[in-house]
Structure formats: C-alpha cells, structure tokens
Amino acid sequence: MADKDPLHDRAAGNGLLHRRMLLQGGLAGAGGLVLQRAAAAGRAPGAPLSGYGAPSRFEQAVQRGDFSNQPGTLGSGASRTPLQFLEGTLTPSGLHFERHHSGVPELDPAQHKLTLHGRVRRNLEFSTEDLLRYPMVSRIMFLECSGNSAANLSAQPKALDCGHIHGLVSASEWTGVPVSVLLQEAGLDPAASWVIAEGADAARMNRSIPMHKMLDDAIIALYQNGERLRAENGYPMRLFLPGYEGNASVKWLRYLQVSTQPAMSRQETSKYTDLGKDGTAEVFTFPMQVKSVITSPSPGLHLRGPGLYEISGLAWTGNGAVNKVEVSADGGASWAEAALDGVVLPQALTRFRMVWQWDGAPCVLLSRAVDSSGTQPSREALLKRMGQRFFYHYNAIQAWRVGADGQLQNTYV
Ligand SMILES: Nc1nc2c(c(=O)[nH]1)N[C@H]1C(S)=C(S)[C@@H](COP(=O)(O)O)O[C@H]1N2
Ligand SMILES: [Mo]
C-alpha cells in the first residue's frame, strides 16, 4: 500500500522520517515492531508499604558508572549519570553525577553555618534553619562538569557508552534562596565585583564568581527534585550557578567573601582553565557551550534488526535555550530537524526525537544542537580552533557508528 510506505514521509537521507507518521500510526501500525503479550500479574498480596521508595529490583543495572577514584584519595573523583538508560529530561537524584575533590563531608544541618563577609556593610551568618525561612525560587536546570565529554579528546575513539563519555551532566529541579537577596541584606560596597565561595569539604574547594552572576540568577540551593539536597550534591546547601561550569557551583557552602578581585585559587588557575594553541590559557570561561548527544540508540542499546526506531537524545546550552536540534543518519551528508519535547527551558536539558527507518546497513548517527551562539561544532572544527592541549569544555558533535549487527560504537567522523 503506497500510502503506508513510511519512506513517503522522508525528512533526510538514510531513513530519517517525519514524526507525524509515527504519531498517526504508531510503530506497530507501521509494521516496525512486534508486540508481546504481557505476562499475567500474580494475585497474591504484594510487598508492604515503605517509608522511602527505591527503584524496582529489575532496574538494578541502572547505576552511576565509573568511580574514577584516584589511588590514595578515596572519595575524590567522579561518577557519571547513565544517560543511555534514562528518558525525559530530569535526572533521578540518586543518579545525579558526582564530582568530589575530597569526598563527601557529613555536615549536620543543625551545626552548619554560612558566613557572608568581606566588602559588605555588615557581616552576616546564616544557619540552615535561617535560610529555610527566606523566600525561595525553583527552576529546572542542568549541571555539567566542564571536564564532561573529554574522553573524546583521545586520538582514537574510546569504546565507551554514552554515560561514560557524556554522563557528567544531569538535571534537577533546584530550589533555594537568591544570592542577590542575601547580598542586599549585607549591603554591598560599590567597589565589590567578585564573590569568593568556599566549601566545607576537606578540599576547602573555592571559586571566584563575578558579581553580575551572583546578582543575576545565582541561588543557595537547599532542595533538589523537591527534597533536601543529597549529601553527594552539597547537603545542606550549595551554590548553584545556572548554565555555568559545574566546578563553580560550590557544594557544602560555608562562606561567601565579597571582594574587589578574584582569589586566583587552584581550581581557577591550575585547573578549570582552557589551554590554547599558543600556550596561553583562558581563565574564567564559565558558561557551558551548546551540546547534544543521542542517548538512544547508543552503545550497549543495540538495534534488533531493520525497522522503525525512535532516535532520542538530550541537548543543552549554558547560553540560554536550545533553538534547534538536527539529526543525521548518513554521517552528516544530510540532516533533518528533530522534534523537541514540551517547553524548551533555558539552562535545562531538552529532549529531542526523530523517527528513523533503519534498512539494516552500517551507518553513522549524529546530532547537532543550535543556540544563540551558533551550531555545535564538529570534532574536527573544535580541535582546529582549540588545538590538542585543552581539556575542559569539549562540546563537539558525537557520532555513533551502527554496525550491520545492530551494535553501536563511539566513532569520529
Ligand atoms: N566544595 C566542593 N564543591 C564542589 C566540588 C568539590 O569537590 N567540593 N566539585 C565541583 C565540581 S568539579 C563539579 S563538576 C560539581 C559537581 O556537582 P555534583 O557532585 O553535585 O554533581 O561540584 C563542584 N563543587
Ligand atoms: Mo567539574
């Protein structure tokens, strides 16, 4: 039947299709999917009620991956969100990526204090309870470590899955007190231009934040996805800087020092700077740049034979909202615009979707996002601009090679 031929709804080369055909007929209607009858549920009484829920025992494979602890420094390192096992745009709190420089401190909220001092009319001290009484704001926002995706700097593509390459990004609904409210209460010296934030972890990690960011949209986050912060993510309070590199969002926040200059601390001089081709390093490169990645299909989630598939992935930018995402199924020879789910929020993750008729032949899948600064660069273009010595802020297009056996692999194009 000619009118049911999915290829009549072609959007770009190698089987990318317009989404309307999927929404009208569904996968089964298009003959792409074999439905299986669900097993009948048991009739015996089920498990009892519980005080705090946990994922189904059948989902235990869904874990944060790659605890890159450095030898002798247990607790410092990173764990990554398994992006390929998740859908939608919010990261369950227990799967939010972690990056600790000296492990997770155990802070008693009844003892912990935040001090605000320096170039202010009066120094202030806030207990956790004090802060909980302030007016709050809630926003869904991503957090991304600027070291995310750096695995793809290696000369040869590493055989890693999506979470292991790109899982240093997560998104939550963060709720907290605007920093501007606290700064106004303390009374700013007109000469003040930076705020130095320090954590109460053993690393005493500190970063200098430009005053305009602190007055614009910075918050002291107290809640994550509706509940108080997880210990790993900064309990009982953290700085949260929308769209900025994760490192600047100081966890376990213990002081804010208002200053006329940055601290030039270890994290902003020897680390978290961008070494360019000419040997000079850029400092304070805060906003995360436009990026996208196909999460499904991706390595580990293989295709079961030719047929219809939904390509689904995430796009984000620290520069505001994602304008557009395009997908290619022919290694970049042609592109089609993907559908974006729901309301596209600034500094949050956006889910994109594309319908694909796979003919069973080997090919390369790509996605590229566009924001107000332009289009996500190819790997080649990024390396040409930045050279080989940079490490942070890698945001090039991710390519997945699809084999005739339906297996996917990290590849460079
Ligand atoms: N006090 C403190 N704050 C910190 C860190 C830290 O080690 N100590 N790690 C930073 C880094 S490098 C990142 S990417 C984010 C990670 O936040 P998360 O662990 O909640 O994902 O926290 C930042 N804030
Ligand atoms: Mo980071």
Side-chain angles (χ1 to χ4, degrees), residues 99 101 145-147 246-247 272:
R99 173 76 181 100
H101 289 79
C145 177
S146 52
N247 184 258
Y272 298 97

Side-chain angles (χ1 to χ4, degrees), residues 24-39:
Q24 278 160 13
L27 277 174
L33 190 76
V34 182
L35 295 176
Q36 282 173 354
R37 197 181 294 256

Side-chain angles (χ1 to χ4, degrees), residues 307-327:
L308 272 185
Y309 290 91
E310 183 174 71
I311 295 173
S312 156
L314 293 170
W316 63 98
T317 170
N319 298 321
V322 166
N323 294 338
K324 183 165 86 162
V325 181
E326 293 174 309
V327 171

Side-chain angles (χ1 to χ4, degrees), residues 112-159:
H112 183 75
K113 295 234 166 8
L114 169 64
T115 308
L116 174 50
H117 67 113
R119 304 292 284 253
V120 286
R121 246 195 329 272
R122 52 185 182 141
N123 296 340
L124 296 174
E125 194 180 68
F126 306 92
S127 67
T128 310
E129 211 179 310
D130 292 337
L131 282 179
L132 287 166
R133 291 181 54 188
Y134 276 77
M136 299 198 202
V137 292
S138 290
R139 260 185 79 184
I140 294 172
M141 295 177 282
F142 75 79
L143 185 73
E144 184 181 23
C145 177
S146 52
N148 196 22
S149 318
N152 280 344
L153 279 167
S154 66
Q156 295 304 317
K158 292 188 177 163

Side-chain angles (χ1 to χ4, degrees), residues 130-210:
D130 292 337
L131 282 179
L132 287 166
R133 291 181 54 188
Y134 276 77
M136 299 198 202
V137 292
S138 290
R139 260 185 79 184
I140 294 172
M141 295 177 282
F142 75 79
L143 185 73
E144 184 181 23
C145 177
S146 52
N148 196 22
S149 318
N152 280 344
L153 279 167
S154 66
Q156 295 304 317
K158 292 188 177 163
L160 296 172
D161 64 29
C162 185
H164 281 87
I165 302 172
H166 303 289
L168 293 179
V169 67
S170 307
S172 303
E173 185 194 55
W174 297 95
T175 301
V177 181
V179 175
S180 60
V181 170
L182 306 182
L183 291 175
Q184 274 155 25
E185 188 176 343
L188 281 179
D189 179 331
S193 50
W194 291 83
V195 179
I196 299 150
E198 188 177 285
D201 50 341
R204 291 285 190 259
M205 213 210 75
N206 63 345
R207 283 296 306 256
S208 313
I209 315 301

Side-chain angles (χ1 to χ4, degrees), residues 191-389:
S193 50
W194 291 83
V195 179
I196 299 150
E198 188 177 285
D201 50 341
R204 291 285 190 259
M205 213 210 75
N206 63 345
R207 283 296 306 256
S208 313
I209 315 301
M211 183 62 79
H212 65 82
K213 183 66 173 175
M214 289 304 227
L215 293 175
D216 178 16
D217 58 4
I219 62 168
I220 311 293
L222 298 158
Y223 292 85
Q224 171 184 3
N225 294 329
E227 63 182 356
R228 298 285 293 279
L229 301 187
R230 292 290 167 103
E232 308 91 283
N233 304 115
Y235 187 85
M237 59 183 72
R238 82 177 300 165
L239 185 59
F240 197 99
L241 303 168
Y244 271 25
E245 63 181 8
N247 184 258
S249 286
V250 173
K251 299 189 281 188
W252 313 297
L253 188 66
R254 71 177 198 125
Y255 78 64
L256 293 173
Q257 182 195 349
V258 177
S259 179
T260 55
Q261 55 194 22
M264 303 310 281
S265 69
R266 175 170 183 265
Q267 300 296 331
E268 55 207 26
T269 52
S270 88
K271 304 285 176 189
Y272 298 97
T273 63
D274 305 322
L275 187 54
K277 281 194 286 199
D278 63 357
T280 63
E282 264 194 273
V283 295
F284 303 120
T285 48
F286 289 117
M288 295 308 294
Q289 298 303 316
V290 65
K291 196 189 274 192
S292 69
V293 60
I294 295 170
T295 55
S296 175
S298 67
L301 311 177
H302 40 263
L303 304 175
R304 288 155 204 226
L308 272 185
Y309 290 91
E310 183 174 71
I311 295 173
S312 156
L314 293 170
W316 63 98
T317 170
N319 298 321
V322 166
N323 294 338
K324 183 165 86 162
V325 181
E326 293 174 309
V327 171
S328 173
D330 52 17
S334 65
W335 297 85
E337 191 170 340
L340 305 183
D341 262 5
V343 179
V344 178
L345 298 171
Q347 285 113 12
L349 298 181
T350 295
R351 175 65 60 178
F352 64 87
R353 301 180 189 280
M354 184 80 223
V355 189
W356 182 40
Q357 170 84 29
W358 185 44
D359 61 8
C363 61
V364 173
L365 300 178
L366 311 170
S367 68
R368 64 181 183 198
V370 180
D371 75 354
S372 59
S373 74
T375 305
Q376 187 183 356
S378 68
R379 185 173 180 278
E380 199 186 346
L382 182 66
L383 294 186
K384 198 165 164 214
R385 173 157 55 84
M386 292 300 296
Q388 304 282 343
R389 290 191 287 178

